[in-house]
């Protein structure tokens, strides 16, 4: 039995790393659709097609639990995937809006994510159901995905964040929620630009969900092994993966 992790690229590592920090060890298969990344600014029907193809690969390769370590893919496809594969346990990712609201009720929050995630019903429903429509501001930060994939760091990132955040009256806000798994790679940059806001992401919640599912399904986990599966050969991606991930991958496979 393997546990699949899926993202358009490097972002899912922020979720995988949380699993590794919590000593959840098993045979992990991390599939990154590096051929088609970024997803968040593309036509959503095209992106859905990519997601379905990639998930089929994980299902055909013995993944019984699949962590959709991507907010964009979760927003677009998790319902369909659960219908298509009723024998697979899917764990989705959604912006940790509830964590922020539970922590502070009187101030506003910024939800930063990809353009697709911000436009989809899933997030709108979450915000409506929590009755916080007037407290949430949505901020697309798609360029951070590109920066992460292209290994851009430092000043360029800070300047981009400053430009995106300068129009906010930050004293009215308590949190910025990182609703894209790529964004925690830049947590320090973000915190530097908005020092008075709490920066939260969903990785702890996802992994606590994963732990529960493993227990409920009665799976015995083997020792730690990480297979990295890419949709395009790219040595730089493998190096970036190994630099960001708390554990080197054991095997790299290329598909398509
Ligand atoms: N890491 C992804 C997310 O959480 C995808 C970003 C992208 O490919 O645009 O949304």
């Amino acid at each position: 039995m393997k546990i699949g992790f899926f993202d358009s690229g490097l972002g899912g590592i922020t979720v995988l790393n949380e699993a590794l920090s919590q000593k959840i060890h098993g045979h992990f298969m991390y599939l990154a659709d590096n051929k088609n990344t970024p997803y968040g600014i593309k036509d959503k029907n095209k992106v859905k097609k990519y997601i379905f193809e990639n998930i089929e690969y994980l299902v055909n390769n013995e993944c019984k639990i699949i962590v959709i370590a991507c907010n964009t893919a979760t927003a677009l496809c998790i319902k369909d995937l659960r219908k298509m594969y009723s024998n697979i346990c899917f764990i989705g990712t959604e912006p940790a809006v509830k964590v922020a609201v539970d922590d502070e009720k009187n101030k506003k929050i910024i939800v930063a994510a990809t353009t697709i995630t911000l436009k989809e019903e899933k997030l709108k429903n979450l915000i409506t159901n929590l009755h916080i429509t007037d407290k949430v501001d949505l901020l697309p930060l798609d360029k951070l995905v590109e920066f992460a994939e292209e290994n851009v760091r430092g000043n360029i990132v800070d300047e981009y964040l400053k430009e995106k955040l300068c129009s906010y009256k930050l004293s009215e806000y308590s949190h910025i929620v990182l609703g894209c798994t790529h964004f925690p790679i830049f947590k320090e940059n973000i915190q530097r630009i908005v020092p008075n806001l709490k920066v939260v992401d969903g990785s702890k919640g996802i992994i606590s969900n994963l732990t529960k599912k493993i227990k409920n399904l009665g799976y015995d986990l083997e020792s730690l092994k990480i297979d990295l599966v890419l949709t395009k050969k790219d040595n730089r991606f493998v190096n970036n993966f190994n630099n960001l991930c708390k554990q080197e991958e054991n095997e790299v496979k290329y598909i398509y």
Side-chain angles (χ1 to χ4, degrees), residues 7-8 11 37-41 69-72 114 117 142 145 179-182:
D7 184 41
S8 66
T37 193
Y39 280 174
I41 48 172
C70 173
N71 292 261
T72 309
T114 66
T117 301
D142 295 286
V145 178
C180 167
T181 54
H182 280 76

Side-chain angles (χ1 to χ4, degrees), residues 13-244:
I13 295 174
T14 61
V15 181
L16 178 62
N17 274 343
E18 182 60 36
L20 298 175
S21 309
Q22 292 190 26
K23 301 269 177 292
I24 299 175
H25 288 176
H27 190 164
F28 298 137
M29 179 171 268
Y30 185 105
L31 198 166
D33 189 5
N34 61 326
K35 183 172 154 199
N36 298 306
T37 193
Y39 280 174
I41 48 172
K42 294 207 168 104
D43 170 72
K44 73 178 200 182
N45 290 319
K46 257 192 200 156
V47 173
K48 274 178 141 181
K49 194 174 154 278
Y50 302 146
I51 297 166
F52 291 141
E53 281 171 9
N54 288 309
I55 297 302
E56 192 182 348
Y57 180 91
L58 290 174
V59 172
N60 290 339
N61 280 275
E62 294 163 49
C63 294
K64 297 276 178 252
I65 299 179
I66 299 178
V67 179
I68 309 289
C70 173
N71 292 261
T72 309
T74 303
L76 284 178
C77 293
I78 193 123
K79 265 193 187 164
D80 295 334
L81 291 169
R82 286 185 174 134
K83 274 189 207 146
M84 287 161 78
Y85 302 106
S86 54
N87 56 333
I88 305 290
C89 171
F90 288 100
I91 296 173
T93 304
E94 66 179 10
V97 178
K98 192 169 181 324
V99 175
V101 180
D102 286 349
D103 192 36
E104 166 66 69
K105 295 207 165 31
N106 299 319
K107 286 191 165 187
K108 296 202 274 184
I109 61 172
I110 298 170
V111 178
T114 66
T115 299
I116 287 185
T117 301
L118 296 179
K119 278 192 185 154
E120 278 304 295
E121 282 300 304
K122 200 170 188 307
L123 178 61
K124 287 188 189 139
N125 291 342
L126 176 70
I127 292 170
T128 311
N129 292 338
L130 289 168
H131 308 290
I132 50 165
T133 315
D134 55 338
K135 282 198 181 153
V136 176
D137 281 323
L138 305 179
L139 175 66
L141 289 179
D142 295 286
K143 207 134 182 92
L144 289 184
V145 178
E146 200 182 305
F147 288 156
E149 295 297 321
E150 290 179 1
N151 219 0
V152 176
R153 298 289 187 271
N155 232 349
I156 298 181
V157 179
D158 286 0
E159 289 308 315
Y160 171 70
L161 290 169
K162 266 187 216 157
E163 183 201 312
K164 291 289 174 186
L165 287 155
C166 68
S167 59
Y168 289 86
K169 204 171 166 205
L170 291 173
S171 56
E172 292 176 359
Y173 296 83
S174 60
H175 293 74
I176 179 164
V177 175
L178 307 185
C180 167
T181 54
H182 280 76
F183 296 177
I185 294 172
F186 300 105
K187 203 167 181 170
E188 281 175 20
N189 303 72
I190 296 166
Q191 192 69 83
R192 221 179 4 253
I193 306 301
V194 289
N196 297 324
L197 301 198
K198 289 187 190 166
V199 183
V200 290
D201 67 73
S203 53
K204 281 209 163 54
I206 303 162
I207 296 309
S208 114
N209 238 337
L210 174 63
T211 314
K212 275 185 220 148
K213 296 286 188 243
I214 292 169
K215 221 173 149 193
N216 290 348
L217 293 166
Y219 287 131
D220 275 333
L221 295 185
E222 304 151 36
S223 53
L224 179 64
K225 182 167 190 272
I226 301 175
D227 296 336
L228 175 61
V229 182
L230 301 179
T231 54
K232 183 180 87 177
K233 193 170 179 357
D234 181 355
N235 290 336
R236 195 182 62 160
F237 187 99
V238 179
N239 286 339
N240 288 342
F241 182 94
N242 289 333
N243 286 337
L244 287 169

